[in-house]
Amino acid sequence: MILLLMFVGLLVLVTLSVPIAVALGIVAVVAMILTSGAAVLPNVGLVMFDGATSFPLIAIPLFILAGAIMNATGISRRLIAFASALVGFIRGGLAMVSISASLFFAEISGSAVADVAALGSILIPAMKKRGYSTPFAAAVMSSAATLAVIIPPSIPMILYGVMAEASIVELFVAGIIPGVLGGLLMMLIAWLYARRHDFPVEDAFQLKRVWQTFLEAGWALLLPVIILGGIFTGWVTATEGAGLAVLASLVIGGLVYRELDLAQLKDAMLEGGIQTAVVMLLVAASALLGDFLTELQVPQRVAAGIMEMTTSRWAILALLNVFFLAIGLFLHSAAAIILVVPIVMPLVRAAGIDPVHFGLIVTLNLGIGQQTPPVASVLVTACSVAKADIWEVSKVNVRFIAVLLFVLLLVTYLPIIPMSLVDLFYR
Amino acid sequence: MASLALIVLLGVGFRKFGAALVWYDEVAAILLAWLTYYGAALAALRRAHIGVPTVLQALSGTPRLVMFWTAEALVLAFFVVVAWAGMQVLAVIGGDSLVSLPWVPARLAQSVIPIGAVLFILAELVSIPDGLREDDEAEVHEPT
């Protein structure tokens, strides 16, 4: 009964446009008073503090900071130049550059929104100038950024790892093969589209230019090697790797390239602080509600209820996929992970699904959610950079969303694709 | 944020040199909590918290105003409760100190809850005109 009231209350509050984090808090506080009386209220202060002190989650502001430094020091520009020398000669060259630069950039920032904002503001105008249609430019940037988020490091994966108590390092490793596979598929789609619409090629392929831009970008290309190498070999934890990313991008940007736009960095840090706080307030408020749900054994009951209907792992995965795709339409991915993952984890474990495998499924699912309106953070960012209409962009974007869905199906039903590297190195 | 990066790096540095800093993860985690609540107030000032304003945006006139003020009142009420609860916690923990750094009072760490909540309330109040005016252009402040 109280559960039903809580759910309805939450729904009403969110519909009223109360921020989700505050809505969670209100529902939890009211439920606490109803069940245990006002005497327990001081606990609110304690739980809200403890809920915000998670060591693994420190990686989130640090990776945001590293991405901001990369932008303020011209590292992203050099990555684009290198990608352009490498794949620019193909038909629709700039689209190829967008996809491959996204995959590179993702190896340092871990956020699709940051990816699209940083690279999109350079590449979308460039594509428009070369005669690409605006909706196509926005769509390719937007979808490539989402795909890139499954390539480590990845902020949604860090959140998932904490919420599901799964290994963040293994999640990172699991994303590599599907990410690269999806990138190649997207390039194929972009190439077909470019051929049909006769988009231009960039400069012809020259080994000399590749070498030159490689030397320019060499240090920047070293960044992922340092960060991911450190994390994967177990030399540093994911959080410490994020700290390392900050240091390495500062050293490379500030000392090697000697470019550091301090004003831009300050703005980016402020924005990064806000982004972190928005997510962390959700985490803290959900801790308040989480205690309650655990007490009522909600996740266990959900698991038991669904296991009664079916025990087939594949059916349960299909069910969860549909569920997460539906949620992704209406919720931001951070909010969805924080709210839903703790509730479905007992089911996932009971069905014998590997939490790392499931983490990749969730990340991809919610990534697709970032491309599908009404709530689609990455698409909205791409459209605002491109000054394009969301629906026009979506018409082109359907092709790239199809690639993302295809990768999702592969990852879901051929666990060997994400898990082979994990099994090889960590199990 | 910068100090958070610094502390994590220091922590790694010292550990690699064989002299692990016992306090580094506790202090870093507390800094994250500070970033959370001071940042949350800043986010409130910019109306950046994640919500679902679809229904509000679809309305106009009196229904919109009623809904807006109800939501505002609820948000403010919640943070009044949090501020009060935070003060109670400060009173209860009294002279306790951090586990790893005995000379730092736990009150200092915990003070972020009541202070952050009061700042949140102020930021929410100051930004009410923005909230009223807000057009339907959504800004994205999400790190994923």
Side-chain angles (χ1 to χ4, degrees), chain A residues 215-300:
Chain A
L215 286 184
E216 269 273 293
W219 286 99
L221 293 173
L222 246 174
L223 269 175
V225 178
I226 300 173
I227 301 162
L228 298 181
I231 296 176
F232 289 160
T233 54
W235 196 68
V236 290
T237 64
T239 302
E240 294 164 352
L244 207 60
V246 172
L247 182 71
S249 50
L250 258 184
V251 167
I252 291 173
L255 297 180
V256 180
Y257 292 150
R258 294 186 176 279
E259 259 180 62
L260 188 61
D261 185 340
L262 281 178
Q264 192 192 344
L265 185 63
K266 191 184 139 239
D267 286 349
M269 278 176 76
L270 215 54
E271 170 65 25
I274 290 180
Q275 289 178 353
T276 310
V278 164
V279 170
M280 287 304 300
L281 191 67
L282 262 170
V283 173
S286 75
L288 215 50
L289 197 65
D291 284 358
F292 221 85
L293 294 181
T294 319
E295 219 171 280
L296 295 173
Q297 296 229 313
V298 177
Q300 287 74 10

Side-chain angles (χ1 to χ4, degrees), chain A residues 136-416:
Chain A
F136 175 82
V140 75
M141 216 48 250
S142 172
S143 286
T146 276
L147 177 72
V149 98
I150 65 169
I151 292 185
S154 153
I155 289 174
M157 281 180 181
I158 297 170
L159 264 179
Y160 172 88
V162 170
M163 290 292 152
E165 290 165 21
S167 155
I168 294 173
V169 175
E170 289 178 20
L171 281 164
F172 281 1
V173 173
I176 295 176
I177 295 181
V180 173
L181 198 68
L184 293 176
L185 280 172
M186 274 194 183
M187 284 183 164
L188 180 69
I189 301 282
W191 180 72
L192 290 172
Y193 191 91
R195 248 180 35 149
R196 188 141 51 88
H197 294 259
D198 204 24
F199 290 156
V201 294
E202 303 308 305
D203 302 330
F205 185 82
Q206 281 180 317
L207 215 53
K208 202 176 111 216
R209 209 160 68 87
V210 172
W211 179 243
Q212 251 169 12
T213 51
F214 173 75
L215 286 184
E216 269 273 293
W219 286 99
L221 293 173
L222 246 174
L223 269 175
V225 178
I226 300 173
I227 301 162
L228 298 181
I231 296 176
F232 289 160
T233 54
W235 196 68
V236 290
T237 64
T239 302
E240 294 164 352
L244 207 60
V246 172
L247 182 71
S249 50
L250 258 184
V251 167
I252 291 173
L255 297 180
V256 180
Y257 292 150
R258 294 186 176 279
E259 259 180 62
L260 188 61
D261 185 340
L262 281 178
Q264 192 192 344
L265 185 63
K266 191 184 139 239
D267 286 349
M269 278 176 76
L270 215 54
E271 170 65 25
I274 290 180
Q275 289 178 353
T276 310
V278 164
V279 170
M280 287 304 300
L281 191 67
L282 262 170
V283 173
S286 75
L288 215 50
L289 197 65
D291 284 358
F292 221 85
L293 294 181
T294 319
E295 219 171 280
L296 295 173
Q297 296 229 313
V298 177
Q300 287 74 10
R301 281 201 253 167
V302 170
I306 291 179
M307 294 293 275
E308 258 171 42
M309 285 190 285
T310 171
T311 51
S312 152
R313 201 194 308 178
W314 308 122
I316 290 174
L317 276 174
L319 198 70
L320 287 168
N321 263 331
V322 172
F323 180 60
F324 271 96
L325 282 174
I327 284 186
L329 289 175
F330 300 102
L331 271 185
H332 284 288
S333 75
I337 292 173
I338 295 163
L339 288 178
V340 181
V341 165
I343 296 179
V344 298
M345 275 330 274
L347 171 65
V348 169
R349 287 178 202 274
I353 301 164
D354 190 308
V356 172
H357 179 207
F358 185 63
L360 198 63
I361 295 174
V362 169
T363 311
L364 259 171
N365 252 313
L366 297 175
I368 295 170
Q370 292 177 315
Q371 301 295 329
T372 47
V375 178
S377 51
V378 178
L379 180 70
V380 167
T381 310
C383 289
S384 87
V385 172
K387 300 192 180 55
D389 178 68
I390 290 185
W391 295 107
E392 290 299 316
V393 175
S394 292
K395 275 187 216 157
V396 183
N397 203 16
V398 168
R399 295 167 178 78
F400 296 112
I401 293 178
V403 172
L404 291 170
L405 277 171
F406 179 70
V407 175
L408 174 62
L409 280 179
L410 278 185
V411 163
T412 308
Y413 290 111
L414 290 174
I416 188 162

